[in-house]
Amino acid sequence: MLDDWITHTPRDILAKNFGVDPSVFDTVPSKFPYILNGTVSEEATDTPQGTLTGNSSYVYRTYSHPSEPVPGTGGVLRKIDSRNFPISKTIAAAVVELEPRGLRELHWHPNAEEWLYFHRGKARATVFIGDSKARTFDFRAGDTGVFPEDSGHYIENTSDTEKLIWVEIYKSDRVADISLAQWLALTPADVVAQTLKVDIEVVKRIKKEKQTFVAGK
């Protein structure tokens, strides 16, 4: 918007405002380019009253943020929320990587709906909202989706060779989820077995620690 603003301001006003000759602005693009070629600036700018500190300044570089240790194998999770980025009181996010044929386990989010942007790969997800209402979606790079709050779902990498990468956004101060398997494992095994009509020994083998990722086979 900067160049668009400049080109729609009289040159004499610009010259007066910046203390330069009007001809300085002859080469400003007439249309906002959105994306342009350039170089990365390493120059630090001195400020007359000092730099921003504390609650006045928040800079967060996701690429340097370490992944969070999570149970299970086959994926990587990076959370950005109020726990590691204090200014984030109303929005939270996660960057997720899932290995080929890997699974983001069955779970739901108790505090917000989930907005997704798929950056790389191919995925499949079934979303369940109760009352026998469910739908399965196929996603590829560039797709977006929204899963309602408290809706049960999973995300599977359907590629045999390519990693799946997506971004999750929540209108909340934190990223939170509840594992279906862990919930069942921490419920009396006989109750689960009777409800699902499965052998109780199968229920007893469910891991009590949630498996955020399940590696593909």
Side-chain angles (χ1 to χ4, degrees):
M1 292 179 61
L2 174 60
D3 45 9
D4 197 20
W5 184 10
I6 291 293
T7 56
H8 287 84
T9 302
R11 296 295 174 84
D12 60 326
I13 298 299
L14 294 171
K16 183 181 294 185
N17 186 83
F18 294 106
V20 297
D21 189 274
S23 62
V24 166
F25 303 100
D26 288 344
T27 56
V28 174
S30 59
K31 185 178 181 181
F32 183 44
Y34 292 95
I35 299 174
L36 68 159
N37 292 323
T39 58
V40 177
S41 175
E42 300 293 339
E43 180 181 351
T45 303
D46 294 329
T47 57
Q49 300 300 326
T51 57
L52 297 176
T53 59
N55 292 338
S56 299
S57 176
Y58 289 90
V59 177
Y60 191 86
R61 295 190 288 185
T62 303
Y63 60 81
S64 63
H65 179 63
S67 60
E68 177 176 325
V70 293
T73 58
V76 174
L77 180 67
R78 292 179 173 86
K79 293 180 182 177
I80 304 97
D81 60 18
S82 59
R83 289 167 290 192
N84 55 16
F85 192 36
I87 194 63
S88 185
K89 301 299 184 183
T90 59
I91 190 170
V95 180
V96 188
E97 300 180 14
L98 193 58
E99 296 298 326
R101 290 295 168 185
L103 182 72
R104 173 68 173 93
E105 69 162 357
L106 284 157
H107 66 283
W108 69 92
H109 302 284
N111 60 331
E113 62 186 11
E114 177 181 1
W115 290 65
L116 305 101
Y117 172 76
F118 290 89
H119 171 67
R120 174 182 171 186
K122 297 186 297 182
R124 178 167 295 154
T126 296
V127 183
F128 172 73
I129 62 172
D131 195 26
S132 298
K133 296 177 181 177
R135 185 174 176 183
T136 299
F137 301 87
D138 287 314
F139 298 97
R140 63 180 61 249
D143 287 347
T144 58
V146 180
F147 298 163
E149 182 177 346
D150 289 324
S151 64
H153 59 277
Y154 66 86
I155 299 176
E156 180 189 23
N157 183 348
T158 56
S159 172
D160 291 323
T161 58
E162 186 177 18
K163 182 181 293 187
L164 175 66
I165 302 176
W166 73 91
V167 179
E168 305 171 353
I169 303 291
Y170 305 91
K171 190 178 181 181
S172 176
D173 66 335
R174 71 192 190 284
V175 177
D177 69 274
I178 298 175
S179 162
L180 175 60
Q182 185 181 43
W183 179 47
L184 294 178
L186 296 177
T187 300
D190 56 335
V191 174
V192 176
Q194 293 168 30
T195 301
L196 299 180
K197 299 189 183 326
V198 298
D199 190 292
I200 192 171
E201 295 304 318
V202 172
V203 178
K204 289 180 177 180
R205 288 198 294 270
I206 299 175
K207 295 180 179 179
K208 290 182 170 61
E209 183 179 43
K210 73 177 182 179
Q211 303 298 297
T212 301
F213 301 111
V214 180
K217 295 181 180 180

